[in-house]
Amino acid sequence: MNDELTHFDARGQAHMVDVGAKNETHRIAVASGHIRMQPSTLQLIIQGGHKKGDVLGIARIAGIMAAKRTADLVPLCHPIPLTHVSIEFETDTTECMVRASARAETRGQTGVEMEALCALQNALLTIYDMCKAVDRGMVIGEVRLEHKSGGKSGEWNRSE
């Protein structure tokens, strides 16, 4: 693993990493997280009874849109052509949460970790936004990278 910060030059100034000499490879990143809520809020989502509509469907679209705009949101990210973005949800009535995962893919010179993380977080934020009228105490948590592959550093998987 590289133990130096790549977004700073020799003088300590922030810069965008030059990826021009990198090989194009198929790159994949998967991020996961969840949002905890009151049981009644989760039931509204599951039953589709929310007056604003299909909460998870809208959150999925929001996540995909966020992945496509990551370079506009994170200052030193490269704008990259995404070949695939998907958002999956799983409701857990025992833990009163919605678990989410986001997968981003490209064929390019830089990874898609930030796109997967941005997609995931925006999907979870959208769930919060749509449900905050009935549950302001929701908590977003455990947002993390689970997997990345492609590029010079190869494959990485969360081990915990």
Side-chain angles (χ1 to χ4, degrees), residues 19 31 35 45 54 57 62 68 71 78 99 109 124 132 139 142 148 155:
V19 297
I35 182 167
I45 292 171
D54 177 6
K68 293 168 31 173
H78 293 84
R99 297 180 201 281
Q109 295 171 294
L124 294 172
K132 70 182 183 278
V139 177
E142 297 291 318
K148 68 82 58 196
E155 189 164 343

Side-chain angles (χ1 to χ4, degrees), residues 129-142:
D129 181 51
M130 292 188 72
C131 297
K132 70 182 183 278
V134 296
D135 187 356
R136 292 195 190 278
M138 292 174 284
V139 177
I140 294 171
E142 297 291 318

Side-chain angles (χ1 to χ4, degrees), residues 26-63:
H26 183 212
R27 296 165 185 265
I28 300 170
V30 177
S32 70
H34 65 259
I35 182 167
R36 289 186 187 276
M37 60 195 64
Q38 296 294 320
S40 58
T41 307
L42 184 57
Q43 284 307 309
L44 278 175
I45 292 171
I46 291 170
Q47 295 168 358
H50 197 290
K51 67 180 181 179
K52 289 187 179 181
D54 177 6
V55 173
L56 300 183
I58 293 167
R60 180 174 289 112
I61 297 299

Side-chain angles (χ1 to χ4, degrees), residues 40-115:
S40 58
T41 307
L42 184 57
Q43 284 307 309
L44 278 175
I45 292 171
I46 291 170
Q47 295 168 358
H50 197 290
K51 67 180 181 179
K52 289 187 179 181
D54 177 6
V55 173
L56 300 183
I58 293 167
R60 180 174 289 112
I61 297 299
I64 292 167
M65 290 174 65
K68 293 168 31 173
R69 300 296 303 258
T70 299
D72 294 333
L73 301 170
V74 181
L76 299 176
C77 281
H78 293 84
I80 59 174
L82 294 167
T83 57
H84 179 74
V85 177
S86 63
I87 313 287
E88 300 297 328
F89 298 106
E90 175 189 328
T91 57
D92 181 338
T93 55
T94 303
E95 297 289 326
C96 294
M97 69 170 65
V98 175
R99 297 180 201 281
S101 67
R103 178 183 177 106
E105 297 185 43
T106 192
R107 178 151 184 83
Q109 295 171 294
T110 190
V112 287
E113 296 96 290
M114 296 307 298
E115 286 72 14

